[in-house]
Structures are given as C-alpha cells and as structure tokens.
C-alpha cells in the first residue's frame, strides 16, 4: 500500500510539473504585451520598457521559465500587474468562494443523485424511472452557460426571487450551485441507478429479503454499500471537474471566485495570476485524484491485494 501511494505521488508531481509548464508557455503564446495592456496602447515606450524590466519580462524566455519554476516551488508566483498584489494572496482570497460553491454543488448532486437514482432503480421501467432518465439526459446535455442564463432570466428577471449576481447573501449561491451541480447530478444518478439494478437481484439481496428485512434496509444497507465503489470513484474525480466548470459559472453569475479571477487575468494578460490560478486548481485536482485512488484501493479488496 505504501509503495502504491508513493508511486501515485510521484506521478502526481510529474503531472503538476506538466501543468505548470503548459500554462507558462501558453500564456506567452497569447498575443499581446502585458505591459502595454496595463499602461494602455498610448503609453510612452520608455514606461512600457521600465515595467517590463520591473517584472522580468525583458529576459529571454528560457530564463523566465527557470525563474518561474524556482519561485513556484516556494508558492511565489510574483505580483499581479493589474491588482498590484501577490498572486498567491489573490488566489487564496478568492479560493474560499470557489470552494463554497463547489462543495455546495457537490452536496446537491450527491443528495439528489442518490435519491433519484434509488427511486428509479427500485421502480424500473415505471413512469418515475422514465422521467428520471429523461431529466438525466437533459441535465447532461444542456450547456452550463445556457442553464445559468435561463435561471437568471426566470428567477431573477421575471420572478424576482433570487439575486442574479454577486455573493452578498446565501440566496445568491442557489442558482450558481444548481447550475454547477446539474452535470454531476446526471452522472451520479445514472451510476446509482445502474449499480442498484445490477445488485438488487444478487443472492445476498434475495437472502436479505427472505429474512424479512424491510425494503429500506435491504436497499439502503445491503445493496447500496456494494455498489458504492464506482460511485465514490467517479464522484471524487468529477469533483475536480467542478472546479473547471466553476470558471464558466462564476463568469455567468459574477461569483467572486478563482474562476472569475482567472478569466479577468487572462483578458488582462496578467501572467502571475493566471499561473497561480491554474496551478492551484491543478494541485486540488491532483490531491483529489490521489485520495480517490487510495480510497478505491481501500474499498475494493481485489485491488488491495494486487498493489
């Protein structure tokens, strides 16, 4: 188990190095000069050159890359050209809003996914099962930005029930969290339904029913715990995807999180902030993947014996 964990940790470090390298060169490949973006197109050339020297943008690209890696190890991504604050501080300031949004969406997806998936599996081919299947396909196929815009139009513009943007009140989180949760809800729902349908006719479930146990106990205890492995694995991996989806959702709802900070920084060619945002999200995603891998080994004895 320890050897497996160390091997996965080594792979995670390589993935993080790859993510850092890609974001560094991708930002440099984007047309436009950060100094010109900050000072404006009519700025004096001497002022532009002075700003480039101040932030090390006048150095050759390989030297910038080496300096970036050396500073990234200490979580020092430099100062924002636009906001004049340390990029790490800016990311940490906005990270709590993104974490709250992602965790709320994750909870909504798990609760509704397990509830609807269980109801559909215990009534196969019924009206409820068909309705749930259609809803699952719709939530999976509809674009996130379109869902967000439709929610704003209905609940903010027409019904005036919920705020359309910002994070001034708990009610402001409802629409962004629901929008972010819908794709994951569809995945969890289908996994729970298919997993329960596979195990509800197994011998141990039939035996539990023959002993006179209630259907709630049979499904909730005996059947459910034996189909949790794929659900836990996929749900854990999909949580990382919520962070990627949060970029779109935060932009639509003007949510003050890392996603919106990153989109604003990309538009302003703010290298330091973009690099800090991407690497922070990559670290979170890698840690979640590592936890899921270790949890999968713990839950599945077949895998545990092979590592």
């Amino acid at each position: 188990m320890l050897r497996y964990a160390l091997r996965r940790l080594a792979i995670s470090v390589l993935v993080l190095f790859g993510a850092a390298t890609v974001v560094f060169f991708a930002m440099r490949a984007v047309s436009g000069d950060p100094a010109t973006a900050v000072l404006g197109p009519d700025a004096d050339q001497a002022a532009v050159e002075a700003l480039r020297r101040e932030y090390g943008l006048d150095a050759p690209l390989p030297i910038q890359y080496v300096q970036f890696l050396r500073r990234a190890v200490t979580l020092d991504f430099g100062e924002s050209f636009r906001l004049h604050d340390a990029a790490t501080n800016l990311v940490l300031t906005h990270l709590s809003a993104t974490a709250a949004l992602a965790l709320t969406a994750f909870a909504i997806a798990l609760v509704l996914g397990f509830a609807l998936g269980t109801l559909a599996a215990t009534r196969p081919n019924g009206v409820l099962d068909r309705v749930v299947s259609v809803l699952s396909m719709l939530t999976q196929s509809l674009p996130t930005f379109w869902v967000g815009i439709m929610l704003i139009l209905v609940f903010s513009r027409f019904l005036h029930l919920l705020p359309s943007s910002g994070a001034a009140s708990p009610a402001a989180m409802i629409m962004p969290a629901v929008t972010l949760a819908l794709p994951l809800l569809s995945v969890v729902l289908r996994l729970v339904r298919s997993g329960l349908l596979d195990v509800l006719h197994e011998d141990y479930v039939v035996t539990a029913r023959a002993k006179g146990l209630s259907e709630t106990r049979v499904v909730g205890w005996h059947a459910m715990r034996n189909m949790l492995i794929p659900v836990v694995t996929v749900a854990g991996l999909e949580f990382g995807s919520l962070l990627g989806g949060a970029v779109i959702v935060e932009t639509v709802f003007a949510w003050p999180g890392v996603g919106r900070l990153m989109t604003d920084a990309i538009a302003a060619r703010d290298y330091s902030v973009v690099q800090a945002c991407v690497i922070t999200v990559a670290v979170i995603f890698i840690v979640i993947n590592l936890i899921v891998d270790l949890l999968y080994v713990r839950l599945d004895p077949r895998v545990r014996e092979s590592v």
Side-chain angles (χ1 to χ4, degrees):
M1 181 68 177
L2 179 59
R3 183 182 301 175
Y4 176 79
L6 292 176
R7 186 166 64 248
R8 296 300 302 173
L9 184 60
I11 294 174
S12 299
V13 172
L14 291 177
V15 171
L16 184 59
F17 171 75
T21 301
V22 169
V23 69
F24 176 86
F25 287 105
M27 286 304 300
R28 269 65 180 181
V30 176
S31 60
D33 180 22
T36 303
V38 171
L39 299 176
D42 299 326
D44 181 67
Q45 187 61 32
V48 172
E49 293 298 329
L51 186 62
R52 287 177 57 83
R53 284 194 301 272
E54 179 181 352
Y55 288 99
L57 298 176
D58 60 332
L61 193 60
I63 295 178
Q64 292 186 44
Y65 177 62
V66 172
Q67 292 174 344
F68 161 70
L69 291 180
R70 184 183 299 119
R71 296 168 66 179
V73 173
T74 61
L75 302 180
D76 178 11
F77 298 99
E79 185 179 281
S80 168
F81 308 146
R82 182 171 51 99
L83 302 174
H84 304 290
D85 192 6
T88 303
N89 292 340
L90 291 171
V91 172
L92 293 178
T93 301
H94 290 76
L95 186 60
S96 58
T98 298
L101 179 61
L103 289 173
T104 303
F106 191 67
I108 292 173
L110 286 185
V111 171
L112 293 181
F114 269 92
L116 294 176
T118 302
L119 290 174
T122 53
R123 298 166 178 81
N125 300 318
V127 175
L128 181 60
D129 185 22
R130 296 180 188 277
V131 171
V132 168
S133 297
V134 171
L135 289 176
S136 173
M137 288 187 292
L138 283 176
T139 55
Q140 183 70 28
S141 58
L142 293 176
T144 303
F145 69 89
W146 184 86
V147 173
I149 293 172
M150 290 301 103
L151 290 178
I152 291 174
L153 285 176
V154 173
F155 293 100
S156 294
R157 179 67 177 83
F158 297 131
L159 299 179
H160 304 288
L161 294 177
L162 297 170
S164 62
S165 62
S169 65
M173 185 184 286
I174 295 176
M175 288 196 295
V178 170
T179 303
L180 190 59
L182 287 181
L184 178 58
L185 168 62
S186 175
V187 173
V188 174
L189 189 158
R190 285 184 291 175
L191 280 175
V192 171
R193 179 186 178 277
S194 61
L196 283 177
L197 287 176
D198 288 340
V199 302
L200 282 177
H201 300 291
E202 294 289 338
D203 291 341
Y204 62 88
V205 176
V206 175
T207 302
R209 287 197 178 105
K211 289 180 177 179
L213 297 179
S214 66
E215 189 67 13
T216 301
R217 184 169 177 79
V218 170
V219 175
W221 178 251
H222 293 279
M224 189 71 73
R225 67 175 182 172
N226 285 286
M227 49 74 61
L228 280 179
I229 293 176
V231 177
V232 170
T233 303
V234 173
L237 297 177
E238 287 292 327
F239 181 77
S241 301
L242 289 179
L243 299 175
V247 175
I248 298 174
V249 173
E250 289 179 3
T251 302
V252 171
F253 292 97
W255 186 261
V258 174
R260 189 182 176 199
L261 175 68
M262 184 166 62
T263 54
D264 291 343
I266 291 173
R269 309 291 192 275
D270 201 340
Y271 292 168
S272 300
V273 175
V274 175
Q275 290 163 175
C277 289
V278 171
I279 292 177
T280 300
V281 173
V283 168
I284 295 173
F285 192 86
I286 288 169
V287 170
I288 292 172
N289 274 267
L290 183 61
I291 293 173
V292 170
D293 286 341
L294 298 178
L295 186 60
Y296 185 76
V297 173
R298 184 67 180 175
L299 290 175
D300 195 334
R302 296 167 299 179
V303 179
R304 188 164 61 245
E305 291 174 359
S306 64
V307 298

